[in-house]
Amino acid sequence: MMSNKPMPLATPISAPFWNGLKEGRVQLQQCNSCQQWTFYPRRHCSHCLSHDLSWKEVSGAGTLYTFTVARIPTLPEFAGAEPQILAVVELEQGVRMNTTLVGLAPDDIRVGMAVKPVRARVSEDGTVLLRYTSADVDLVERDEVPKAPPAPAADAGPARTRIDVKDIDALKALVSDQFSDWSNQILVDQALIDDFARLSGDDYWIHTDPERARKEGPFGGTIAHGALVQVLMSRMQVPLSFEVTGFTNMVNYGSERLRFPSPVPAGSLLHSRVRVKSVEVLPRGTQMIMEFNIHVVGQDRPAVINDLVILYM
């Protein structure tokens, strides 16, 4: 499972910290000369500059030094249903650590509150990041590996109003600037992007080479093909309030307009919504244009705008 969220790169100096998290431990460096604690990991004591440091397991408990609620994601890759709560925690050993608060509503957070560590598994390879929450919250570990929620049952959602295709006034009454509720969510991970690259023959590195995309690409990692995101619309069950009946054939006639306004980073969750844009009676049948907007969950700007033309005959 690949995601474009920036991940720590373990170095020979910092590897004991990250490996400890994988094994369930919080470790800090302590100076054997002055007994002071050091964080972030480095070669020398941040107090006396001695190079005689040892890694020691600590509880990770501390107090909240400061925090901010990032209601607009600091990067597109951090978009989600909940705002980011960025924080600095002061551990019992006196060092301060940048982190993210989880399991808390913004109104419940207070500077100086007691906090405890939460091990967050963020990828299938076992990478763990250190989050924090209130000492009163019953949370020790959590799984943050991107996963799509299960699709709803076919008969889920509100009851649909049946409209005969010959009832043109009723069809035209569906035209609106208001969008439907959101569909189910679809996960676009690197494996799916790679499958589409093999199928389509579009294996350009911005889609298929995560390492090069991180170093050279403008998006911090790989992104999904626009055509892939468009095709995934078929897997999104938009809760429409109506059902057209009485036709002999229904044809996907193409797109009146198709745009890809924003990228979809690998590891994103997608959902969509729709509105009826126009209804017109033509010699070949009744034409309905439906504007589908596909978004990365948590982002206001669509990833795909598709004015789909449906022809009822």
Side-chain angles (χ1 to χ4, degrees):
M1 183 81 67
M2 293 295 299
S3 169
N4 279 350
K5 287 185 178 180
M7 292 293 172
L9 179 62
T11 66
I13 298 174
S14 66
F17 176 78
W18 300 115
N19 291 337
L21 289 181
K22 284 186 177 181
E23 297 166 1
R25 304 189 310 276
V26 179
Q27 298 185 126
L28 298 178
Q29 289 174 302
Q30 186 177 32
C31 178
N32 295 318
S33 297
C34 70
Q35 304 306 308
Q36 296 293 320
W37 298 87
T38 290
F39 188 84
Y40 56 90
R42 62 195 88 180
R43 295 185 186 278
H44 61 271
C45 172
S46 57
H47 301 273
C48 72
L49 304 183
S50 169
H51 286 249
D52 187 12
L53 300 173
S54 299
W55 285 95
K56 303 287 182 64
E57 183 175 356
V58 299
S59 70
T63 57
L64 181 62
Y65 181 76
T66 188
F67 74 99
T68 185
V69 180
R71 301 186 187 279
I72 298 176
T74 52
L75 288 172
E77 296 80 11
F78 290 104
E82 300 177 353
Q84 281 180 281
I85 305 177
L86 309 175
V88 178
V89 168
E90 185 170 292
L91 273 60
E92 293 173 339
Q93 290 73 25
V95 299
R96 292 173 183 165
M97 182 181 296
N98 294 328
T99 186
T100 303
L101 297 181
V102 295
L104 295 168
D107 290 344
D108 296 333
I109 303 171
R110 298 289 183 271
V111 169
M113 66 189 292
V115 293
K116 67 178 185 181
V118 176
R119 296 177 64 253
R121 181 171 173 266
V122 294
S123 70
E124 297 286 5
D125 66 5
T127 299
V128 172
L129 298 182
L130 196 59
R131 314 293 194 202
Y132 271 81
T133 191
S134 169
D136 298 328
V137 173
D138 185 18
L139 182 63
V140 177
E141 296 182 340
R142 72 182 215 160
D143 188 354
E144 295 184 6
V145 178
K147 296 181 180 68
D155 57 352
R160 295 185 177 185
T161 301
R162 296 169 64 87
I163 302 175
D164 191 278
V165 72
K166 299 181 184 64
D167 191 346
I168 302 303
D169 289 339
L171 290 178
K172 288 188 174 182
L174 297 173
V175 176
S176 174
D177 291 331
Q178 298 297 314
F179 283 87
S180 69
D181 290 335
W182 292 105
S183 73
N184 58 303
Q185 297 177 8
I186 301 295
L187 176 65
V188 183
D189 59 15
Q190 189 61 50
L192 181 61
I193 294 171
D194 290 342
D195 286 344
F196 186 82
R198 286 188 288 270
L199 179 65
S200 65
D202 181 358
D203 59 356
Y204 187 53
W205 61 266
I206 198 68
H207 305 301
T208 60
D209 190 335
E211 291 304 318
R212 183 176 178 184
R214 288 192 185 97
K215 294 176 182 177
E216 302 179 27
F219 307 113
T222 52
I223 61 171
H225 309 70
L228 167 59
V229 179
Q230 176 197 359
V231 167
L232 289 175
M233 187 175 70
S234 299
R235 293 173 56 183
M236 300 178 195
Q237 300 176 26
V238 178
L240 294 175
S241 62
F242 66 92
E243 177 185 358
V244 181
T245 63
F247 55 86
T248 302
N249 291 304
M250 179 180 68
V251 177
N252 178 344
Y253 201 62
S255 296
E256 187 82 1
R257 180 181 64 145
L258 179 61
R259 298 288 186 272
F260 305 116
S262 62
V264 174
S268 296
L269 285 172
L270 299 178
H271 58 177
S272 64
R273 56 184 181 175
V274 66
R275 71 182 181 97
V276 178
K277 194 171 183 179
S278 68
V279 173
E280 187 177 2
V281 179
L282 302 174
R284 60 178 179 269
T286 300
Q287 176 179 286
M288 177 183 290
I289 297 180
M290 304 177 72
E291 180 185 341
F292 282 84
N293 284 4
I294 302 176
H295 293 242
V296 173
V297 173
Q299 289 196 22
D300 292 331
R301 187 175 176 83
V304 171
I305 300 174
N306 185 6
D307 288 358
L308 186 67
V309 182
I310 303 295
L311 188 62
Y312 298 99
M313 297 178 289

